[in-house]
Amino acid sequence: LRCWDQIPAVQRRLAEKKTAKTGKPCERDISLLARQLMPDHFHGILFVRKEMDIALGDVIRGFMVGCTKAYNGVETQTFRLDSPQICGAPDRQAVPAAPVSPAAPLRPLWEKGYHDRLLLHEGQLQNMIDYVRDNPRRLMLRRQHRDLFVVQRNVRFLQWSFSAIGQVRLLDAPLVAVHVRRYFTDAQRRDYMNGCILAARRGAVLVSPFISEHEKRVREEAFREQLFCIQLCAEPFSDYHKPSGELIGPCSEGHLLLLTLSTGTPQERRITRDECSALNNLAESMARQSIETIKNQDYAYQ
C-alpha cells in the first residue's frame, strides 16, 4: 500500500529528473482513485490526467518492482511468532537472520502482467471504484456460502445442459419469463412488470437475461422482496467466475441462480442483439416447458 500511495510523487520526481537531463518537459500527472489489498491480489485505479512520456505499463512495472524489493528486504530477517512485529509485545526482540546475498535472485511476489480496463461506457469508472471498495464484503459472503459460488458444470434442466452458479434447486420451481417488449405502452409495461412480481410472490421463479432497464427493475424489486430469480448469461463461466457486485448478496442468500449455455474462454465485450433475442427466447421456452411439466405431474399452479 505504501508503494502504491507513493506512485504520484515518485513519477513526478522521475519526470523532473528526465526534464533536467534532456531539457524537454516531461509530464507524469497521475492521481490515485481507489485501492484494495486482498489476501491474494491487489486492486488499484489510477487516473492519468495528461499524456505521459512513458507507457502506463512502465508505471505499473515500477510499482511492482518496488513491492518486490520491499518484500525481499523483509526476507532478510526472520521473526519468532511472539516477536513485536507479530503480536506487539514490547519486551520481545526480533531474531535477526543472516542477510540475503545481493547476488541471490529476488523471490517473486507478482504473477506476470496485470489486468486493466478501458473506459468505454458512462458510469463504468464509478462501477469500477465501487467494485474495488466492495471486494472484502464479497469475499466474506463467498467464504460463508462456498457451495453457492462454485461453478457447477452440466446442470441438466429438461433438454438443456448449463453451467451454473447459485441455488440450483430454483430449477425445480415453476418458471415465469421476464421479457419487457419495446412496443408495450406505459400502461402495458406497468401491468406486465407488476404481473411478474405477483407471480414471484405466489412461488414462481423469474427467469430472464434481465438486459433492459425495465427487466432490471423487475429483478431489483424481486431482490428487495427476497423473491427468486434465474439469470441467463451469454458469456461462458471460467472456473473462477464470480457474480458482479449487485448479484453477490442475492446469490449468497440462495435467491439467485446464474446459468449459461456457452462454453470456451470468457471475453469482455458487449452482448449482441442476436444474443439478447436468443436468451429471451430461451427464457420463454424454459418457462413454458416448466409449467407444462408441472401440470403433467399433477401439481397445482396458479
Side-chain angles (χ1 to χ4, degrees):
L1 295 178
R2 185 166 61 250
C3 287
W4 178 263
D5 293 341
Q6 290 174 346
I7 286 177
V10 168
Q11 291 303 320
R12 280 196 300 270
R13 288 199 301 269
L14 292 175
E16 291 168 359
K17 289 176 64 176
K18 188 171 182 180
T19 298
K21 182 177 180 179
T22 63
K24 298 179 181 179
C26 297
E27 292 283 356
R28 299 188 189 179
D29 190 0
I30 299 174
S31 61
L32 309 177
L33 301 186
R35 60 172 166 80
Q36 190 64 260
L37 182 63
M38 300 299 291
D40 60 357
H41 64 281
F42 175 81
H43 288 286
I45 300 179
L46 293 168
F47 182 44
V48 180
R49 298 179 178 276
K50 298 179 181 178
E51 184 176 357
M52 301 192 297
D53 63 301
I54 60 170
L56 178 59
D58 292 333
V59 175
I60 303 299
R61 189 176 300 110
F63 158 70
M64 296 169 74
V65 168
C67 291
T68 302
K69 288 182 177 180
Y71 176 60
N72 282 268
V74 173
E75 292 291 305
T76 62
Q77 55 182 342
T78 59
F79 304 104
R80 292 199 304 259
L81 290 179
D82 59 352
S83 72
Q85 286 80 4
I86 300 298
C87 64
D91 56 341
R92 304 296 183 95
Q93 296 298 320
V95 179
V100 176
S101 168
L106 294 180
R107 182 183 176 189
L109 175 63
W110 302 96
E111 294 184 2
K112 292 184 178 180
Y114 61 93
H115 297 282
D116 58 1
R117 296 289 184 271
L118 292 176
L119 297 181
L120 302 175
H121 316 298
E122 184 178 355
Q124 185 178 0
L125 177 58
Q126 187 58 51
N127 289 339
M128 293 168 64
I129 294 174
D130 293 341
Y131 176 88
V132 168
R133 292 174 175 169
D134 196 41
N135 238 19
R137 183 186 69 89
R138 295 197 306 272
L139 177 61
M140 178 194 69
L141 290 174
R142 291 197 301 273
R143 286 182 172 179
Q144 289 178 336
H145 308 279
R146 294 180 185 273
D147 56 323
L148 294 175
F149 289 96
V150 174
V151 178
Q152 303 180 58
R153 306 293 184 185
N154 301 316
V155 174
R156 299 292 305 181
F157 177 72
L158 300 176
Q159 70 265 36
W160 297 283
S161 179
F162 295 98
S163 292
I165 300 174
Q167 182 56 267
V168 177
R169 286 181 296 178
L170 296 184
L171 291 170
D172 297 332
L175 307 182
V176 170
V178 180
H179 184 193
V180 182
R181 269 71 170 185
R182 293 185 177 182
Y183 58 79
F184 281 173
T185 65
D186 290 343
Q188 288 174 327
R189 185 183 303 115
R190 182 182 62 253
D191 291 343
Y192 178 83
M193 295 167 66
N194 288 337
C196 291
I197 295 299
L198 287 173
R201 289 172 180 168
R202 294 169 181 159
V205 174
L206 304 180
V207 56
S208 172
F210 297 106
I211 295 171
S212 75
E213 289 303 315
H214 297 293
E215 291 160 1
K216 290 178 180 177
R217 284 172 56 189
V218 172
R219 184 187 64 186
E220 290 170 2
E221 179 60 25
F223 288 159
R224 191 182 68 82
E225 297 188 25
Q226 296 187 320
L227 305 175
F228 301 98
C229 295
I230 296 174
Q231 179 159 324
L232 305 179
C233 306
E235 284 296 302
F237 298 153
S238 71
D239 291 337
Y240 304 102
H241 184 87
K242 295 172 289 189
S244 61
E246 61 185 359
L247 303 181
I248 285 280
C251 189
S252 68
E253 296 163 355
H255 295 158
L256 174 66
L257 174 64
L258 303 178
L259 296 177
T260 181
L261 288 172
S262 301
T263 59
T265 303
Q267 298 178 351
E268 186 174 350
R269 60 182 180 84
R270 299 197 71 173
I271 187 172
T272 67
R273 184 180 180 85
D274 289 342
E275 287 173 329
C276 293
S277 297
L279 289 175
N280 280 315
N281 291 337
L282 175 59
E284 291 170 347
S285 182
M286 290 174 64
R288 182 173 60 253
Q289 293 192 44
S290 77
I291 299 300
E292 292 174 356
T293 300
I294 289 174
K295 286 182 179 180
N296 292 336
Q297 294 174 346
D298 295 328
Y299 287 129
Y301 173 71
Q302 294 182 347

